Amino acid sequence: LVYEIASYMGLELGKVNIKRFADGEIYVQLQESVRGCNVFLVQPSCPPANENLMELLIMIDACRRASAKNITAVIPYFGYARADRKSQGRESIAAKLVANMITEAGANRVLVCDLHSSQAMGYFDIPVDHVYGQPVILDYLASKTISSNDLVVVSPDVGGVARARAFAKKLSDAPLAIVDKRRHGHNVAEVMNLIGDVRGKVAVMMDDMIDTAGKLSHLSYRKHNSKIEHFTLRGS
């Protein structure tokens, strides 16, 4: 991704030396001056999440100590975003913790893509640019020349109805279907009911993220004679 960004902008990538010590610690040294520069660090916190997150924090710290003018953390996949609230007692709001660490490390701005929920933007005490992948998906569907009468937008759970409805409006007010599921634990979901008609239609399922893809696999098995087009805005 970073090579494509640099190529598109006609810039060269900054030189940096990153290595691991024998005990797993991360070492970062910039190989060129960034004094007075606007630095963009592109680093998702995808698996291994903790190592990539720590690497980002150390790179931010290195740029700050090298007198960079502005440091923007570009995080295509913002890890720990699902822990954005307390749904049960004695839980951590890890999304806020990660936001604090990025801010304290010295970032001046954060750019993220399709957060698990928009409320996570408020966890940062620095400016946040939140970009969406939806236009790319809409262009893809337009290239398929599928009639709006043959489309149905499916929300994989009740919590995603608003997102699916907004997407359906941009597809000529396509009809909506909702999956009623029960989650028995982390990464474990059981589909109970399907609300709406998907038979014979192209079902476009809008999900917020994919971890194990267990829900998608289960839905595909019970797809009611529909063709499923599935898009995830955040995926590992």
Side-chain angles (χ1 to χ4, degrees):
L1 174 61
V2 73
Y3 279 105
E4 291 189 16
I5 293 173
S7 175
Y8 180 81
M9 299 186 67
L11 300 173
E12 293 185 3
L13 293 179
K15 298 177 176 61
V16 61
N17 178 27
I18 302 176
K19 64 181 182 180
R20 300 290 194 275
F21 290 108
D23 61 356
E25 294 178 8
I26 300 171
Y27 172 82
V28 171
Q29 183 188 34
L30 305 180
Q31 300 293 294
E32 57 185 282
S33 174
V34 295
R35 183 181 297 274
C37 296
N38 294 315
V39 179
F40 292 83
L41 299 173
V42 182
Q43 173 76 321
S45 48
C46 54
N50 297 329
E51 284 198 22
N52 286 329
L53 175 59
M54 196 65 196
E55 185 176 295
L56 173 62
L57 295 175
I58 296 175
M59 289 177 69
I60 293 173
D61 183 71
C63 291
R64 178 173 64 88
R65 296 179 187 279
S67 301
K69 180 180 179 181
N70 286 297
I71 304 170
T72 301
V74 182
I75 312 174
Y77 180 91
F78 184 72
Y80 291 99
R82 81 184 83 194
D84 52 14
R85 69 191 187 284
K86 289 183 68 172
S87 58
Q88 302 179 61
R90 301 176 296 280
E91 283 187 334
S92 165
I93 304 180
K96 172 59 175 171
L97 173 64
V98 172
N100 286 344
M101 290 193 296
I102 292 173
T103 303
E104 289 300 317
N108 302 107
R109 180 180 290 270
V110 171
L111 193 154
V112 292
C113 179
D114 288 302
L115 286 170
H116 185 255
S117 63
S118 297
Q119 69 195 40
M121 287 190 289
Y123 297 160
F124 289 90
D125 295 324
I126 55 178
V128 176
D129 293 312
H130 189 199
V131 299
Y132 301 89
Q134 193 177 91
V136 178
I137 298 173
L138 289 170
D139 288 344
Y140 170 81
L141 289 173
S143 71
K144 294 294 184 180
T145 62
I146 303 171
S147 170
S148 59
N149 296 326
D150 296 330
L151 278 174
V152 58
V153 177
V154 180
S155 174
D157 49 44
V158 175
V161 171
R163 179 177 60 249
R165 184 183 293 117
F167 190 75
K169 285 184 178 180
K170 295 183 179 181
L171 291 173
S172 303
D173 275 330
L176 192 67
I178 304 169
V179 175
D180 173 33
K181 76 171 189 294
R182 301 290 186 271
R183 190 173 290 281
H184 304 293
H186 297 304
N187 301 133
V188 180
E190 179 184 357
V191 177
M192 305 298 290
N193 299 294
L194 177 63
I195 305 168
D197 183 22
V198 300
R199 189 177 299 277
K201 295 181 178 293
V202 176
V204 181
M205 184 180 299
M206 292 298 300
D207 208 349
D208 51 12
M209 66 181 299
I210 286 181
D211 202 357
T212 63
K215 179 172 59 179
L216 172 62
S217 300
H218 194 59
L219 284 170
S220 298
Y221 179 71
R222 300 178 55 184
K223 62 183 179 177
H224 299 273
N225 297 324
S226 67
K227 176 186 176 184
I228 292 181
E229 293 278 358
H230 189 281
F231 304 100
T232 179
L233 303 184
R234 301 175 65 247
S236 59

